[in-house]
Amino acid sequence: MGLMQYQLKSYSSAFDLYQEALRIQRDHFESDENVEIASTLNSIGLVLFNQGAYGLAKSCFTDSLRIRRTLLGNDHRDVAILWYNIATIYLETGEDDVAVKLYRETLRVERNALGNCHHDVILTLQHLGLVHQQRGELDEALKYFSEALEIERTKSGESNVAVGKLLNLIGNIYLQKADVESMMKCYIEASRLYRSLEHQIDALVIAGYNFYGLCKQHPPCAPVA
């Protein structure tokens, strides 16, 4: 019931239901050292995060992380989820350096738990790329996007919408770096993939429509823009 209310974005109702579930679990298990309690704490943290209560959300995530690490070990998939959630709070509160460090820990755990070709690994690599791009660290962003692309190609082949999206992201980095040849190569390949797959929903997203802001942040790309 709490999950249903959460999915409907009725966060106050979801919070009340999760709190009642947590009370019953604590009465039953007589200890917080239980994976079900850890799961409920994570759910409460997600509700609080969506309500903007970042400090309380971080406390719930941290408690859930401690329980899961104790019971499941440091390299379990469920542990990676908590690292990701905590990292996102730091990102939202402007503490980018801490966020990047925790996203990298998420990536380490995911690789140990799931292998290098899992979808979650690709998503975390892509998210790290976006964070570095937002920080203006283009070489780092390119490194993570390129690694995600290589894994996606190995996992799914060339003819895949996800490959097109990653090519689009990499093309945007080359735009910001004023590398016209590499930029166009990525954009053309991404467009060709979308057309061949008849994926009309997706189209190229150019990170340069606000040319003034783009050029102020990345002066070398001014002639390209």
Side-chain angles (χ1 to χ4, degrees):
M1 290 171 63
L3 177 61
M4 288 173 60
Q5 293 299 320
Y6 176 79
Q7 291 175 338
L8 292 169
K9 299 185 179 181
S10 298
Y11 297 127
S12 294
S13 297
F15 180 79
D16 291 341
L17 289 163
Y18 282 137
Q19 284 282 83
E20 179 63 10
L22 182 63
R23 183 192 65 77
I24 295 169
Q25 287 170 336
R26 280 173 164 162
D27 286 346
H28 176 73
F29 294 116
E30 297 182 345
S31 167
D32 275 6
E33 305 304 305
N34 185 279
V35 290
E36 291 186 32
I37 287 178
S39 178
T40 303
L41 285 167
N42 181 52
S43 297
I44 292 171
L46 290 171
V47 171
L48 291 166
F49 176 83
N50 281 280
Q51 292 178 310
Y54 297 134
L56 292 172
K58 185 166 69 172
S59 294
C60 288
F61 291 147
T62 301
D63 287 345
S64 181
L65 175 65
R66 179 190 59 77
I67 296 168
R68 284 181 171 175
R69 291 177 76 185
T70 299
L71 298 176
L72 304 174
N74 290 327
D75 292 341
H76 193 277
R77 179 182 189 178
D78 290 349
V79 170
I81 291 170
L82 269 304
W83 281 126
Y84 183 93
N85 290 343
I86 295 169
T88 303
I89 287 180
Y90 280 108
L91 186 64
E92 287 293 323
T93 55
E95 297 176 77
D96 293 359
D97 291 339
V98 180
V100 167
K101 180 180 178 181
L102 296 183
Y103 282 133
R104 286 174 179 162
E105 178 63 9
T106 303
L107 184 62
R108 185 196 67 78
V109 176
E110 286 173 343
R111 281 176 160 153
N112 286 339
L114 305 170
N116 199 48
C117 292
H118 195 275
H119 184 62
D120 287 0
V121 171
I122 296 171
L123 287 177
T124 303
L125 284 167
Q126 183 173 319
H127 198 79
L128 272 163
L130 289 168
V131 174
H132 282 293
Q133 183 181 21
Q134 181 180 315
R135 286 160 58 93
E137 298 164 352
L138 301 182
D139 289 335
E140 283 293 302
L142 183 59
K143 180 184 76 173
Y144 284 112
F145 288 148
S146 298
E147 187 175 355
L149 177 62
E150 182 180 349
I151 296 171
E152 188 65 60
R153 280 173 163 162
T154 301
K155 173 173 168 287
S156 307
E158 290 289 340
S159 297
N160 185 281
V161 171
V163 169
K165 290 181 177 180
L166 285 163
L167 284 166
N168 191 165
L169 289 169
I170 292 170
N172 287 337
I173 296 294
Y174 283 127
L175 168 60
Q176 291 173 275
K177 289 169 68 69
D179 185 342
V180 180
E181 183 178 352
S182 299
M183 173 193 77
M184 290 305 300
K185 182 178 178 181
C186 290
Y187 286 164
I188 290 168
E189 181 62 15
S191 296
R192 185 194 63 77
L193 271 172
Y194 291 154
R195 287 197 304 272
S196 67
L197 296 168
E198 297 182 350
H199 210 264
Q200 301 299 325
I201 297 174
D202 288 293
L204 283 176
V205 178
I206 311 299
Y209 285 132
N210 180 1
F211 289 139
Y212 176 76
L214 179 66
C215 296
K216 289 292 287 182
Q217 186 174 3
H218 305 286
C221 79
V224 181

